[in-house]
Amino acid sequence: MANLDDLYREIILDHYRSPRNRGELDAPGVVRTEGYNPLCGDELTVFLDVRDGIIVDIKLTGHGCSISQASSSMMSAAVKGKTVDEARETIERFKQLMTVHQTALDDRAEPVVADLRTMGELAALQGVVKFPVRIKCATLAWNTLSQGLDDAYGVQGTGSQ
Ligand code: ZN
């Protein structure tokens, strides 16, 4: 497992160099949501096409640091084709990864470690918590997605709790 950090670094670099789902969507019902991280200057616009509770397409535009770019690319790959409920679950798990780790570091307790089996590629971003100022770079995409899903439900009225 000595090379896990290298593997994680490779995953992040791969998404940064070859971002997934770049571009815009322009179809009826597409929801456009903007996110901004003033601490770093990261900007992100998420285009969501949600139909019958499924994210049938997602596109991203924007610019920012490597962490924000990689995280948004990974976010788009993780939720495309998934149901809104699954996407919200992934958002929660990702935020937990960021905050639980932070708490663990503060308490000098045993950190909760996510691995590729449970989190897929997203596990690669857990190293970000070692640099608290970058956490908002990593969570920007997820907060913007969360807002976009709220907006999508508002527009389409597909909410079914
Ligand atoms: Zn940033």
Side-chain angles (χ1 to χ4, degrees), residues 11 20 22 25 31 58 66 80 106 108 135-136 154:
I11 292 172
R20 319 296 197 269
R22 290 291 290 187
L25 289 176
V31 169
I58 178 170
S66 54
K80 186 175 176 178
D106 290 347
R108 294 165 185 257
I135 291 175
K136 285 200 185 308

Side-chain angles (χ1 to χ4, degrees), residues 6 18 31 38 48 61 84 89 97 102 119 135 146 148 156-157 159:
D6 289 339
S18 311
V31 169
L48 281 173
T61 63
V84 170
E89 199 177 308
L97 185 63
Q102 188 57 41
M119 289 293 284
I135 291 175
S146 183
Q156 302 180 345

